């Protein structure tokens, strides 16, 4: 039992490290090789590399807040929430694999952006997608990780609810 607990913890920490590492490696490459506001089309005009520094959060929300408030809302509170999520992930044994993976993505990506804020004072964003009718803001791999993780968590919640509903209908129909 103890070996299983240690193995589970090692797998979780490996997923977090891999997630954080991919984000930081991609940002490091962009910082070294792409100039600010330079546009590089990767897939025609659909996927574009453009390096910007974001002092705010998602879509630069909060960039104009006073520095102490921005530090509280965009650094300190997220660190607290991410630590609580990590603690929950490590102690809660009944989580599904999809939920574990989702939380690892959210926490790994979150720590990637927090690291940037603490070390560089801003977050390096560099990816932009153009869907002809709609164009995204500029984002990074940590943002992709956070969104993918939230999708996994919500998908698992939906699947659990759907399974619960089917089991309830089956029990009612058997009665």
């Amino acid at each position: 039992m103890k070996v299983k607990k240690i193995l589970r913890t090692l797998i979780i920490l490996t997923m977090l490290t891999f997630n954080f590492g991919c984000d930081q490696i991609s940002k490091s490459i962009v910082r070294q090789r792409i100039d600010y506001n330079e546009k590089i089309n990767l897939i025609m005009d659909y996927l574009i590399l453009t390096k910007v520094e974001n002092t705010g959060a998602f879509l630069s929300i909060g960039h104009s807040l006073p520095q102490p408030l921005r530090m509280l809302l965009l650094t300190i509170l997220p660190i607290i929430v991410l630590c609580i999520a990590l603690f929950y992930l490590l102690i809660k044994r009944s989580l599904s694999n999809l939920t574990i993976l989702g939380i690892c993505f959210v926490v790994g990506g979150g720590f990637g952006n927090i690291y940037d804020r603490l070390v560089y004072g801003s977050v390096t964003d560099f990816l932009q997608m153009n869907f002809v009718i709609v164009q995204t803001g500029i984002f990074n791999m940590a943002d992709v990780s956070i969104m993918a993780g939230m999708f996994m968590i919500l998908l698992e919640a939906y699947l659990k609810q759907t399974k619960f509903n089917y089991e309830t209908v089956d029990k009612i129909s058997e009665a």
Side-chain angles (χ1 to χ4, degrees):
M1 187 65 160
K2 184 150 179 122
V3 172
K4 191 173 182 181
K5 182 178 177 182
I6 292 170
L7 183 60
R8 180 183 184 275
T9 301
L10 284 174
I11 290 170
I12 287 170
L13 294 176
T14 300
M15 286 191 296
L16 287 169
T17 303
F18 180 75
N19 200 286
F20 176 84
C22 287
D23 171 60
Q24 289 303 305
I25 289 169
S26 66
K27 289 175 183 173
S28 177
I29 292 168
V30 166
R31 283 186 201 107
Q32 292 172 9
R33 297 190 179 179
I34 299 177
D35 292 326
Y36 287 103
N37 298 313
E38 177 181 357
K39 290 191 181 235
I40 300 171
N41 292 335
L42 292 181
I43 302 174
M44 297 175 12
D45 288 334
Y46 301 111
L47 182 61
I48 304 160
L49 288 181
T50 303
K51 181 172 79 171
V52 297
E53 293 299 325
N54 183 357
T55 57
F58 178 71
L59 298 176
S60 296
I61 294 170
H63 75 94
S64 61
L65 291 172
Q67 178 58 25
L69 187 57
R70 192 170 55 216
M71 179 67 137
L72 174 68
L73 294 176
L74 301 181
T75 305
I76 295 170
L77 284 176
I79 287 172
I80 292 168
V81 170
L82 292 171
C83 286
I84 291 169
L86 179 57
F87 180 73
Y88 176 79
L89 181 62
L90 292 172
I91 65 164
K92 186 77 171 172
R93 298 281 172 228
S94 61
L95 297 174
S96 71
N97 289 339
L98 187 58
T99 300
I100 291 170
L101 188 61
I103 294 172
C104 283
F105 271 57
V106 170
V107 172
F111 277 127
N113 281 341
I114 295 295
Y115 177 83
D116 278 13
R117 281 188 209 295
L118 292 171
V119 173
Y120 302 104
S122 62
V123 175
T124 302
D125 289 333
F126 56 90
L127 291 168
Q128 187 173 32
M129 297 174 74
N130 183 356
F131 297 107
V132 182
I133 299 171
V134 178
Q135 188 171 0
T136 68
I138 302 171
F139 56 94
N140 59 45
M141 292 309 295
D143 299 332
V144 171
S145 180
I146 293 166
M147 294 301 291
M150 290 306 300
F151 175 78
M152 289 179 227
I153 293 166
L154 292 172
L155 177 62
E156 177 64 22
Y158 172 77
L159 294 173
K160 272 187 181 175
Q161 182 64 38
T162 304
K163 181 180 176 187
F164 173 77
N165 286 339
Y166 283 130
E167 288 173 357
T168 304
V169 169
D170 287 345
K171 287 180 184 176
I172 293 171
S173 64
E174 289 174 2

